[in-house]
Amino acid sequence: MLLSGRDWVFLDFEGEPSRSPTERRIKRSSVVDLAGLIRSLDYAVHHALGVVSERGSLRPDVHEVAAACGRVWQWRVTSELIGGYRDAVAGSGIVPDDSGEFSRLLEPLLVDRLLQEIRHHVVVDPQRAGVSIRSLDRLLASGRL
């Protein structure tokens, strides 16, 4: 974070190193950061499952149970995160108060974030692209967009 004279500039809060410093200075909705946090929760579950599987700490016969527990944890934490965010900004006009309108604002930002992840992983670490691709597939299949 830098002070540019009149304003504070976050150089890489979102974690997207391919964006130029000019792009990073553009003021965006805080819902963009919320989408990034939600994606981080999803990625954390998949990464943790992958690590314990690779180390042999998770028996193959319980992998699906562990994955289901991870999905429940992710759903719960994501729900709390969104609820807390919406409570904090309620009535401010920053985001719609209506939950359906809020979802229509958040979901395309999640898709954008997923596409950024996929692009990054295809170039840097193709083995990890599958997590983001499967998450995008689940989001699109949910029919909420």
Side-chain angles (χ1 to χ4, degrees):
M1 198 165 99
L2 297 174
L3 180 61
S4 67
R6 299 185 316 245
D7 203 0
W8 287 96
V9 177
F10 290 90
L11 293 180
D12 195 14
F13 179 76
E14 186 180 10
E16 180 55 48
S18 66
R19 290 187 184 211
S20 70
T22 301
E23 287 178 292
R24 294 180 201 170
R25 280 193 290 270
I26 296 170
K27 304 280 187 210
R28 292 185 171 87
S29 168
S30 57
V31 181
V32 172
D33 294 327
L34 180 64
L37 287 168
I38 291 168
R39 287 299 314 132
S40 293
L41 294 171
D42 180 51
Y43 196 81
V45 169
H46 293 286
H47 181 71
L49 285 171
V51 167
V52 294
S53 292
E54 288 171 12
R55 291 182 181 165
S57 303
L58 183 64
R59 293 189 337 250
D61 61 317
V62 296
H63 187 274
E64 283 306 312
V65 173
C69 289
R71 287 189 297 272
V72 169
W73 175 86
Q74 177 197 348
W75 177 85
R76 176 66 186 205
V77 173
T78 298
S79 296
E80 291 292 326
L81 175 64
I82 292 171
Y85 174 83
R86 292 190 67 212
D87 287 347
V89 300
S92 68
I94 293 174
V95 297
D97 288 330
D98 177 77
S99 60
E101 289 180 31
F102 180 80
S103 292
R104 285 189 291 280
L105 172 65
L106 176 61
E107 289 166 2
L109 295 172
L110 287 169
V111 170
D112 182 61
R113 183 66 190 162
L114 280 159
L115 293 173
Q116 289 175 31
E117 288 176 25
I118 292 166
R119 182 182 67 230
H120 172 77
H121 288 309
V122 164
V123 171
V124 175
D125 188 0
Q127 292 180 339
R128 293 187 180 206
V131 169
S132 301
I133 291 168
R134 286 187 296 278
S135 295
L136 178 60
D137 185 50
R138 280 193 309 275
L139 182 59
L140 295 174
S142 73
R144 294 183 304 176
L145 295 176

